[in-house]
Amino acid sequence: MDTVRTMGDELRLVSTDFDGTIHEEHAEAPIPRVFQERIAALQARGVRWVINTGREMQSLMETLGRSGATVRPDYLVLVEREIHANDRGHYVPVEPWNTRCHQDHARLFASMAEAIPDLLEGLQSRHDAMFYDDPRSPLCAIARSIEQMDRIEAELLEFATSVSDLAVVRNDVYVRLSHAAYSKGTALAELQRILGISPDHTLAAGDHFNDLPMLLPRHARHLVVPSNGMPSVKEQVARHGGTLSPERAGHAVAAALLPWL
């Protein structure tokens, strides 16, 4: 189902996931030229663009460079929670959001430190996936298949029911732990608060599980999922009257932007 738009609708903020939504690693043009041209035209009119991704800064910047991107977002949401603003080509942390985010995660992860070894031992005994920790999560996993990650995710979700404010964040065969107050959706809401932009004037596009928190009417009136989106993402977007594009990734988002050009 397509969202009904009129030319009187004002678009002021575009929030896009990165991988699978505007970027496809093995495509001839990983970030389609038509998307770059349309987002640049909107930026020239004052529309803000945020890449809302699970990637970290270095990974995202390297991939943007390799893709030959000629456009740069006004803001970044990294690791599904940290907000950075483009300051003359450099991305700087947005405060006090980032500091509060780091402090809340530190407290949460400290409170469950004693439980993590047993949780990890149990997971390792049942699944031959790669388990590790990093600065942003005391337990991360990369599964060998979608089916294996389904099982790992189910165990982590069960564990999360016993820990207040703990969320499980999944993207494809990757998973990490996070504070429930921080997601692509709440980071987008904070950016809207800072900019004074309402969900009525926001478009959000995503394709995978970790995009679900931002693909809601309370965060964006205009919702978009490309043809390569996960079935659960398509179902949620359709339920809220969003656009299920017949096109893939960046071409889908470019088509969704056309009514405002």
Side-chain angles (χ1 to χ4, degrees), residues 15-19 50-57 59-61 75-82 169 171 176 183-184 187 210-211 214:
S15 175
T16 65
D17 171 48
F18 187 66
D19 296 288
V50 53
I51 291 181
N52 204 331
T53 179
R55 287 189 185 235
E56 298 179 357
M57 180 77 75
S59 172
L60 179 62
M61 292 296 103
Y75 292 89
L76 304 174
V77 171
L78 302 173
V79 204
E80 291 111 3
R81 62 198 191 217
E82 300 168 3
V169 181
N171 182 15
R176 66 163 61 96
S183 68
K184 289 190 177 190
N210 61 344
D211 298 314
M214 75 169 173

Side-chain angles (χ1 to χ4, degrees), residues 2-237:
D2 289 341
T3 301
V4 177
R5 305 187 187 99
T6 69
M7 294 309 293
D9 289 336
E10 183 185 12
L11 183 64
R12 298 183 60 198
L13 179 62
V14 176
S15 175
T16 65
D17 171 48
F18 187 66
D19 296 288
T21 299
I22 63 169
H23 177 271
E24 287 191 290
E25 187 70 39
H26 301 296
E28 183 177 349
I31 302 178
R33 177 62 55 184
V34 63
F35 168 78
Q36 297 192 53
E37 291 173 348
R38 290 180 184 175
I39 200 71
L42 288 169
Q43 285 178 307
R45 298 182 186 184
V47 177
R48 308 295 183 89
W49 172 37
V50 53
I51 291 181
N52 204 331
T53 179
R55 287 189 185 235
E56 298 179 357
M57 180 77 75
Q58 181 177 346
S59 172
L60 179 62
M61 292 296 103
E62 288 177 352
T63 305
L64 281 171
R66 288 198 307 270
S67 70
T70 58
V71 291
R72 289 292 182 268
D74 302 286
Y75 292 89
L76 304 174
V77 171
L78 302 173
V79 204
E80 291 111 3
R81 62 198 191 217
E82 300 168 3
I83 307 175
H84 297 258
N86 189 338
D87 181 8
R88 293 171 291 182
H90 298 280
Y91 288 94
V92 298
V94 170
E95 300 295 358
W97 174 269
N98 282 10
T99 294
R100 187 166 64 244
C101 173
H102 294 161
Q103 292 172 342
D104 287 348
H105 279 87
R107 281 191 291 268
L108 172 63
F109 295 152
S111 73
M112 51 189 283
E114 293 184 1
I116 290 295
D118 288 342
L119 173 64
L120 177 59
E121 182 179 1
L123 288 167
Q124 289 176 322
S125 71
R126 292 182 289 275
H127 309 286
D128 61 342
M130 178 183 293
F131 295 96
Y132 62 99
D133 64 284
D134 67 22
R136 291 178 173 84
S137 174
L139 194 154
C140 308
I142 304 175
R144 295 179 179 273
S145 66
I146 292 291
E147 293 74 22
Q148 185 182 62
M149 180 49 70
D150 288 343
R151 296 189 292 272
I152 293 171
E153 181 187 27
E155 289 193 43
L156 290 175
L157 288 170
E158 175 63 26
F159 172 78
T161 62
S162 66
V163 182
S164 179
D165 295 324
L166 181 63
V168 177
V169 181
R170 176 184 175 181
N171 182 15
D172 196 50
V173 295
Y174 305 89
V175 72
R176 66 163 61 96
L177 303 179
S178 182
H179 194 294
Y182 298 89
S183 68
K184 289 190 177 190
T186 60
L188 177 57
E190 174 65 7
L191 187 55
Q192 290 168 327
R193 186 194 68 79
I194 292 168
L195 297 174
I197 296 175
S198 79
D200 285 343
H201 304 302
T202 302
L203 180 148
D207 72 307
H208 226 294
F209 299 122
N210 61 344
D211 298 314
L212 290 171
M214 75 169 173
L215 295 175
L216 293 168
R218 67 172 174 268
H219 296 309
R221 176 182 177 186
H222 307 288
L223 305 174
V224 181
V225 59
S227 63
N228 54 286
M230 296 294 291
S232 60
V233 180
K234 291 180 178 180
E235 189 279 329
Q236 177 170 300
V237 168

Side-chain angles (χ1 to χ4, degrees), residues 246-257:
E247 300 191 64
R248 291 185 62 87
H251 292 284
V253 183
L257 298 176

